[in-house]
Amino acid sequence: MIRSDDLHADIGEILLTEEAIRTRTAELGAQVAADYAGRALTLVSVLKGSLPFMADLMREIPLPLRIDLMEVSSYGGTATESSGLVRIIKDLSASIAGEDVLLVEDIIDTGLTLNYLVRYLRGKSPASLRICTLLDKPARRLVDLPVDYVGFEIPDQFVVGYGLDYGERYRNLRFVGVLRPEVYAPPAE
């Protein structure tokens, strides 16, 4: 594993620029606002990766909003593949019973974690539950889930930035970039 102290040096290519993300987030916010016009909405962010996206998205939705946060784990450490086992580390802080809920994700990969979360949240009796993701990677999907709002469909590449990490690094990049394989691949023997 070769990793530099210069976060930008570890990026092979910029997949989505800061401007592209900002433009698409504004479009998604307008679409959500139109779909929920005249209703209050609860946004649920899945920590930690979706936090930048939710912060920007909520500023684009001119409706009465409540936010809540959940943290789940299905990777652990510096893994690049989901284990498929989901642990809730931080649950919702308030009831969502009878509320319109928009689950805000950073990326949908296999769909295993999201499938678990959707079932879990439906068990809390929201009036409605929809999904909004910044990134969708359909080539890796193992579970068929209806996603209501998609920022960008991306190829099957390991991406970081704008909340997405590898080993808790790169979340603070303002763009989404493809991490160079030598940063996360084990050294060849």
Side-chain angles (χ1 to χ4, degrees):
M1 190 178 342
I2 302 168
R3 188 162 65 180
S4 77
D5 288 331
D6 177 2
L7 299 179
H8 292 264
D10 293 343
I11 305 301
E13 73 173 288
I14 294 176
L15 196 59
L16 300 169
T17 65
E18 181 180 4
E19 183 57 37
I21 294 167
R22 184 176 20 253
T23 298
R24 184 65 182 129
T25 300
E27 293 168 355
L28 288 171
Q31 187 179 355
V32 168
D35 290 350
Y36 288 93
R39 295 157 49 196
L41 182 62
T42 298
L43 302 181
V44 174
S45 175
V46 182
L47 296 173
K48 301 172 189 167
S50 68
L51 201 53
F53 177 49
M54 188 175 85
D56 289 342
L57 179 67
M58 71 183 196
R59 288 189 287 257
E60 299 292 344
I61 302 172
L63 298 174
L65 290 178
R66 187 173 77 76
I67 64 169
D68 210 332
L69 308 170
M70 291 186 74
E71 185 174 4
V72 300
S73 174
S74 64
Y75 286 82
T78 58
T80 58
E81 299 283 331
S82 174
S83 67
L85 299 171
V86 179
R87 287 183 318 128
I88 294 178
I89 296 168
K90 185 214 172 297
D91 204 345
L92 297 172
S93 59
S95 173
I96 58 169
E99 296 188 21
D100 290 313
V101 175
L102 183 62
L103 181 59
V104 180
E105 270 280 26
D106 52 355
I107 187 168
I108 301 174
D109 197 320
T110 63
L112 294 172
T113 302
L114 185 60
N115 186 52
Y116 176 88
L117 274 176
V118 165
R119 285 182 296 137
Y120 180 79
L121 292 173
R122 281 195 179 125
K124 294 185 175 285
S125 305
S128 68
L129 177 62
R130 289 185 177 176
I131 300 165
C132 179
T133 188
L134 175 65
L135 305 175
D136 186 16
K137 198 187 290 186
R140 307 245 321 135
R141 191 82 75 249
L142 296 176
V143 178
D144 187 30
L145 287 166
V147 181
D148 304 280
Y149 307 97
V150 175
F152 300 93
E153 189 173 299
I154 63 168
D156 187 12
Q157 295 176 302
F158 193 75
V159 294
V160 294
Y162 196 68
L164 294 122
D165 77 303
Y166 174 67
E168 293 298 325
R169 292 171 52 115
Y170 311 103
R171 291 188 195 279
N172 55 325
L173 296 175
R174 294 175 177 267
F175 57 84
V176 172
V178 178
L179 195 60
R180 291 184 12 223
E182 56 268 25
V183 174
Y184 60 88
E189 293 184 30

